[in-house]
Amino acid sequence: MNRFARLATRLLDTPRGLVWLNPPGESAGAAPECWPGGTSVPPRVIRCCLRVAELGQPLFLSQDGGDPDFAFAGVPLAGGSGELLGVLAVVDDRPRSWTADEVRDLSDLAAACSAQVRARVRAESGRRAQEEAAEAADAAQAAAAGLRSRLDRSQLLLRAAEDFADTSGLDEVRRRVGDLVSGDLKPSYIGLALVQHGGLRRVADPVSGDQPFERVPAAYALSSRWPSARAARENRMIVLGDRSEITAGYGPEAVAGFDSLGLSTAVCLPLRGTRGVVGVLVLGWEGRYVIDTAERAVLTTLAGYAAQAVERALHLDDRVTVARQLQQAMLTDLPSVAGLELAALYRPAARDDLVGGDWYDAYPLPDPGTSAEGEGALAVTVGDITGHDMRAAAVMGQVRSMLRQADHDHPGQGPDRSLSAVERAWLRLGLDASCTMVHAHLTPAAGGSWHLRWSNAGHPPPLLAHPDGTVERLTRHDVLLHPALPCAPRGYDTRPMAPGTTLLLYTDGLVEQRGHDIDEHIDRLGRQLAATPPETPLEAALHSLLETVGTAEPEDDTVLLAVRVPAP
């Protein structure tokens, strides 16, 4: 935790920071983790931390009780239910007034610290659960042969808790269910149905794809006479010991479906989520299978783990779908510009299959004299908002729109002026994120050439492939956009683009890999770009660059945008 104390001291420019994991005032409170390490905590700091714990809210003091050489800022660390986990604080040896930005920065850092503490608590709980399960396994190993089955079930539940904990998609949940259940309880059929729109919708079988589903509908009402519908309706386990039970208690379509699957015994387990039943897990056996009290307990616990994973997967799938739709709406079609070829490519990160804040854009520029679209002038942009979530995609949409507006509000004044206007709006709106981008203007010149003028805000350098086969890094750049950085005039640079020249813009997902030098990858990208035959279609060239330079499992989103001046 002392890294949060170190980050707090650096962020607020103070000589000392501390994280107290146990709330101050408890008799068994642990010693705080301080930065710099090995320093002691003065009594007046303890008094201030106690005050933060008592108030349950941030405390920012310019001086302590008239002490002229002491200033304190502390924020409580909250648990998932609002309980107090500790205090993140910084101390200064001089009086000072805490600014609104410093209050917000320390509060944001405390939120991140709280999340880390909660993760540590969960990890510790998981570790204790594993230790308890291991102790139970050791005890069962020495018990009679009759306890062997219970040991196997305990191991199943332990593995279920571990396997379901990191699932992030519905397909993965189905696969984990199949792996777990087919390995221990060995059913011949595993089915999963989700509660949607007042009914049940059957999903693909996770064990095998050749189950005979002719008599099992893809969707049916909760009021229907299916045992799975009854399990969801009554929120309880339904056990069918043999065919006579389904014949006596359910409709003919359920009997036909039961027979088409070749089952003799089945159990329907409701998946209880935080807001009710989210689905039903169905296990079936071809032969008679006795489900005793111990078996019921195991299946109920397994269904509980599966329900949490399904609910989490549905929530994530919904958020990802919304975010992707938002992001795709921002990635508009490229314009058709006489005398230029354009192509763009976007690939989301493989990790968790989520969206992010990378984007590209291209649009005609207004004529400086009329504010209408000029004769062929073009703006191109590639940028990256930090993050891989819907918030990053939303901020990306805001910045993209602001940049377009800035170009139309400052006709003929260059990309640097537009970028400065966006930065001013960024700070005034208080967008709490960081952003890098390259924004360029291309205007037609004599002889089929074009004039390139660009401004770079902390982004990887564009590459310019010249007709003679050389590739130039356009290294001119300024700092990124960040709420903690002051607004300053943006610089620019220019290059001519003769026929046969290609401009390549990209995001760091293409060239940044953990444990590798980014400059080496940019050099490799330049070599691949230089080796691309000039007659290669631009879109095909981008795909080739992505395949040869990018990774198969990227950890970041990747955007490429290329502009080519065709050779005569």
Side-chain angles (χ1 to χ4, degrees):
M1 287 295 112
N2 63 351
R3 73 185 175 94
F4 285 96
R6 175 175 56 82
L7 289 173
T9 59
R10 180 178 300 176
L11 195 61
L12 275 73
D13 190 24
T14 61
R16 178 182 299 168
L18 63 96
V19 175
W20 204 318
L21 291 183
N22 286 349
E26 293 188 359
S27 58
E33 298 185 32
C34 303
W35 182 264
T39 59
S40 60
V41 182
R44 57 185 177 182
V45 176
I46 295 177
R47 289 196 304 269
C48 292
C49 290
L50 286 170
R51 185 60 177 163
V52 173
E54 292 170 358
L55 294 174
Q57 60 186 21
L59 180 64
F60 293 83
L61 300 176
S62 298
Q63 60 184 37
D64 179 27
D67 191 342
D69 60 348
F70 178 76
F72 173 89
V75 178
L77 305 178
S81 301
E83 73 275 14
L84 185 67
L85 299 177
V87 174
L88 172 64
V90 293
V91 180
D92 205 335
D93 296 326
R94 66 184 188 277
R96 62 185 291 175
S97 297
W98 304 102
T99 67
D101 285 343
E102 291 172 332
V103 171
R104 186 185 67 246
D105 290 344
L106 187 61
S107 299
D108 290 346
L109 188 59
C113 185
S114 298
Q116 183 69 28
V117 174
R118 292 194 296 269
R120 177 185 290 188
V121 171
R122 288 194 298 269
E124 180 63 20
S125 298
R127 185 188 63 79
R128 289 197 299 267
Q130 291 183 3
E131 291 176 351
E132 293 170 0
E135 293 173 0
D138 293 338
Q141 196 72 24
L147 298 179
R148 179 62 57 186
S149 176
R150 296 183 184 180
L151 173 61
D152 293 339
R153 298 300 180 260
S154 297
Q155 292 174 338
L156 166 65
L157 294 180
L158 175 60
R159 192 165 67 253
E162 295 172 342
D163 287 357
F164 283 130
D166 60 350
T167 54
S168 58
L170 195 58
D171 292 337
E172 188 177 5
V173 172
R174 292 199 300 266
R175 180 180 61 80
R176 296 288 176 91
V177 170
D179 292 344
L180 284 164
V181 180
S182 62
D184 290 83
L185 302 179
K186 295 180 177 62
S188 57
Y189 169 75
I190 301 174
L192 180 63
L194 302 179
V195 175
Q196 293 182 345
H197 309 297
L200 283 172
R201 179 182 64 83
R202 179 173 52 82
V203 299
D205 177 55
V207 175
S208 62
D210 57 355
Q211 294 287 352
F213 285 119
E214 293 84 357
R215 300 296 184 88
V216 182
Y220 45 95
L222 287 175
S223 58
S224 60
R225 297 181 65 191
W226 282 83
S228 52
R230 182 183 176 189
R233 193 170 57 244
E234 299 180 4
N235 193 11
R236 67 183 183 92
M237 182 189 303
I238 301 296
V239 178
L240 305 171
D242 52 41
R243 186 178 184 278
S244 62
E245 294 186 20
I246 191 170
T247 303
Y250 302 94
E253 67 278 7
V255 177
F258 194 82
D259 290 341
S260 70
L261 295 174
L263 302 180
S264 297
T265 305
V267 57
C268 301
L269 302 164
L271 303 179
R272 302 180 180 93
T274 57
R275 298 183 179 180
V277 177
V278 297
V280 178
L281 181 64
V282 181
L283 308 180
W285 293 264
E286 294 179 352
R288 182 175 176 80
Y289 189 89
V290 178
I291 300 177
D292 56 17
T293 302
E295 199 88 306
R296 284 174 177 261
V298 170
L299 292 174
T300 299
T301 305
L302 182 64
Y305 289 135
Q308 295 175 19
V310 166
E311 191 171 43
R312 182 172 61 251
L314 290 173
H315 176 70
L316 290 176
D317 286 348
D318 180 65
R319 287 180 60 87
V320 170
T321 299
V322 172
R324 278 187 170 175
Q325 290 173 349
L326 172 64
Q327 190 163 44
Q328 289 300 323
M330 295 296 103
L331 301 177
T332 52
D333 294 335
L334 298 176
S336 177
V337 180
L340 290 178
E341 297 176 11
L342 285 86
L345 188 61
Y346 170 78
R347 182 179 69 175
R351 180 184 57 203
D352 298 331
D353 207 23
L354 296 178
V355 298
D358 290 25
W359 89 95
Y360 63 83
D361 199 7
Y363 49 88
L365 286 169
D367 184 275
T370 64
S371 295
E373 290 186 2
E375 294 295 329
L378 182 72
V380 293
T381 310
V382 162
D384 184 0
I385 304 293
T386 54
H388 299 279
D389 51 21
M390 188 162 59
R391 177 179 176 275
V395 174
M396 175 267 288
Q398 291 178 276
V399 175
R400 174 185 175 276
S401 299
M402 288 192 298
L403 189 57
R404 284 190 169 211
Q405 184 66 45
D407 270 339
H408 283 76
D409 286 345
H410 303 83
Q413 298 186 32
D416 48 307
R417 293 292 300 274
S418 299
L419 197 53
S420 294
V422 170
E423 185 173 27
R424 289 192 297 270
W426 179 291
L427 296 176
R428 290 168 184 168
L429 294 174
L431 295 180
D432 189 15
S434 61
C435 171
T436 68
M437 74 171 82
V438 174
H439 185 51
H441 288 179
L442 292 95
T443 53
S449 297
W450 287 74
H451 179 77
L452 169 67
R453 175 171 171 170
W454 82 92
S455 185
N456 188 332
H459 202 77
L463 298 179
L464 197 62
H466 296 285
D468 61 0
T470 62
V471 175
E472 177 186 5
R473 281 198 200 187
L474 304 183
T475 56
R476 173 68 173 84
H477 73 280
D478 297 313
V479 297
L480 78 167
L481 277 67
H482 191 280
L485 296 176
C487 185
R490 292 279 168 178
Y492 70 91
D493 207 343
T494 63
R495 290 290 188 280
M497 292 181 62
T501 303
T502 300
L503 171 67
L504 178 66
L505 309 179
Y506 54 92
T507 57
D508 56 5
L510 180 66
V511 294
E512 189 174 54
Q513 298 178 21
R514 189 177 303 173
H516 295 80
D517 186 358
I518 188 172
D519 286 327
E520 293 181 1
H521 283 277
I522 295 177
D523 290 340
R524 182 184 176 194
L525 177 62
R527 291 193 297 271
Q528 293 293 332
L529 181 61
T532 302
E535 68 275 9
T536 305
L538 206 52
E539 185 172 353
L542 293 186
H543 281 281
S544 176
L545 293 175
L546 182 63
E547 292 173 0
T548 55
V549 180
T551 61
E553 295 292 329
E555 296 183 355
D556 198 358
D557 302 332
T558 302
V559 161
L560 295 93
L561 174 64
V563 182
R564 175 192 288 167
V565 183

